[in-house]
Amino acid sequence: MSSSTQHQHSDSADHGLDGPSQNRYASRQDAFWSGIKHAAGAPAIVLFAGMVGFGAMAKTNGFDLWFPALTSLLMFALPGQVVLMEMVMTGSSVIAIALAVTLTSTRFITMTVTLFPQLHEKDRNRNLYASVHMLAMTVWSMTMREFPSIERKHRLNYFLGFGLVCWLMSIPGTILGYYLAAWVPAAITLGLIFINPLFFLLTFTDVKPWVNRIAIALGCILGPIFYFVDRDSSLLAAGLIAGTLAYYIDRKMIRKRPGVIG
């Protein structure tokens, strides 16, 4: 193999075969600050609003401020935080609480295995154990959309900048919601919790593969049906069946040949 061919191969591997990603950022620092700038708009505002609702929920249910604030700092997973709070309110055992919160967080497995393999090989090391704490629905959906246009060597820094802003915004949002609970109607503060998943849903529909949109559409149809059958398992059942059907439809009906994104 000639040196020019090797150079071309190296460039393709570095850019992840993403043509538009070349030269988007001049350096890792540039990618990091770009992630901060992109997160400081709608993503951070939406996540902030969700945490305001969570803080208000904690206040109305008699929790001290340190509890919701600490969960936002250490968990940074709104569904898991809500489950934790509800089970503490009902007096559940520590084992039951740990199991329930773990089950609500299983989504992070698929989010991690789809996002982090897109990073440069040099960035896939033990330091990612700390970086994964910044992974949330909003962060994941936005970075999944942006990664194809970013060089592999700059993707981790973009993710860190984006995730850092969202994580840091969650704590003051929780505290603010805690103190606003006395002046804002409960229906409004609790409704703020649903802004974050709604924003995630709208963002994820913009991700290129059709399988994502199919899964969302099937989930919207099957979710209410399974809720009337058994509300306790409806979310898990609807997600499992909708995702499986979407995968089958994408593989068997949409993709013309292996490797082609529908």
Side-chain angles (χ1 to χ4, degrees), residues 132-195:
V132 76
H133 182 62
M134 301 179 193
L135 188 63
M137 288 193 301
T138 303
V139 180
W140 178 78
S141 61
M142 294 297 291
T143 50
M144 282 288 289
R145 188 180 70 174
E146 294 295 323
F147 269 11
S149 63
I150 301 175
E151 291 176 289
R152 284 186 181 271
K153 63 183 180 181
H154 293 153
R155 290 176 180 176
L156 177 60
N157 295 79
Y158 180 88
F159 166 81
L160 291 176
F162 198 103
L164 183 63
V165 171
C166 293
W167 177 47
L168 293 179
M169 290 293 289
S170 68
I171 303 168
T174 302
I175 296 173
L176 178 63
Y178 188 89
Y179 286 112
L180 285 179
W183 293 281
V184 180
I188 295 178
T189 54
L190 293 178
L192 291 174
I193 296 178
F194 295 96
I195 293 181

Side-chain angles (χ1 to χ4, degrees), residues 21 25 30 33 43 51 63 67-68 78 86 95 135 145 149 151 154 189 197-198 202 209 215 225 228 245:
S21 70
Y25 299 119
D30 185 24
W33 286 108
M51 289 301 179
F63 286 90
F67 183 84
L78 190 54
E86 289 182 345
I95 296 177
L135 188 63
R145 188 180 70 174
S149 63
E151 291 176 289
H154 293 153
T189 54
L198 179 60
L202 295 175
I225 297 175
F228 286 108
L245 288 175

